[in-house]
Amino acid sequence: LTLKLKMLDGYNSAASWEVDKSRHDWLFNFPAQVVVTTTQIYWTEESEASLEDLAGGQEDAVKRYLQVCDTRLAELIKLVLGQLSSADRTKIITIITLDVHARDVIQKLVDEKVEGIEAFLWQQQLRFYWINSTLDTEIKICDFRTKYFYEWIGNT
């Protein structure tokens, strides 16, 4: 099983976070690298969807997504207060760190009244996109883009 296929499996199963299995349960089924990367992909997709909904007239779209971010973060915090293996604890703490930043970005989008995905405040964020046709992840920030090469440096 290649890492690309494991990423595909993680990405596809994450699509039902709020239906079949919540994100805080889903993360136990995949290695940290897949969980962290997939979480970043979905944060990008969900953030952009909320910004597009805002641009389409749903005035509270980004605020609603901020509530989703807060709820997911609270669930992760509950997990680290319990019994976990060392690997799972490290994985969850890493996601909490990313989620706090992600939540703060969404809060800033609300505070600054950003109106769409073309706004610089959104474009300056590190964004991850799943490319299904090639099973690749593309990373963008401002006008720079690169392919994610499945190398992970860190403690996860």
Side-chain angles (χ1 to χ4, degrees):
L1 187 64
T2 68
L3 193 48
K4 273 190 175 190
L5 293 177
K6 195 68 173 170
M7 187 72 76
L8 173 65
D9 186 29
Y11 177 79
N12 286 338
S13 67
S16 59
W17 276 342
E18 310 307 329
V19 179
D20 295 333
K21 187 179 279 194
S22 62
R23 185 177 75 145
H24 62 275
D25 292 325
W26 164 89
L27 64 83
F28 290 104
N29 298 325
F30 296 94
Q33 183 175 0
V34 171
V35 170
V36 169
T37 306
T38 301
T39 296
Q40 294 294 93
I41 293 167
Y42 271 94
W43 175 75
T44 300
E45 289 180 4
E46 292 168 344
S47 298
E48 290 192 350
S50 72
L51 287 166
E52 288 169 353
D53 289 347
L54 175 67
Q58 295 182 36
E59 294 180 11
D60 65 339
V62 182
K63 289 179 185 175
R64 284 194 323 263
Y65 184 56
L66 179 60
Q67 292 172 343
V68 169
C69 293
D70 283 335
T71 300
R72 288 179 179 165
L73 186 56
E75 291 296 332
L76 292 175
I77 291 168
K78 286 180 197 172
L79 284 178
V80 296
L81 295 175
Q83 292 288 96
L84 293 168
S85 70
S86 177
D88 283 338
R89 183 170 301 281
T90 301
K91 177 176 23 177
I92 293 167
I93 289 171
T94 301
I95 298 168
I96 287 172
T97 303
L98 292 169
D99 276 7
V100 167
H101 173 71
R103 188 248 351 247
D104 291 350
V105 167
I106 299 302
Q107 181 67 61
K108 191 166 186 178
L109 294 174
V110 169
D111 294 346
E112 298 292 324
K113 297 178 175 47
V114 168
E115 295 185 4
I117 62 173
E118 297 304 319
F120 181 70
L121 193 59
W122 175 246
Q123 291 295 311
Q124 71 182 5
Q125 305 305 319
L126 191 63
R127 304 173 323 275
F128 289 65
Y129 298 88
W130 178 253
I131 311 300
N132 206 44
S133 60
T134 58
L135 304 183
D136 286 319
T137 301
E138 185 175 68
I139 302 169
K140 297 180 184 179
I141 187 168
C142 296
D143 63 349
F144 175 78
R145 67 184 62 212
T146 189
K147 189 171 151 180
Y148 173 63
F149 288 102
Y150 296 91
E151 294 179 14
W152 196 259
I153 298 173
N155 57 358
T156 57

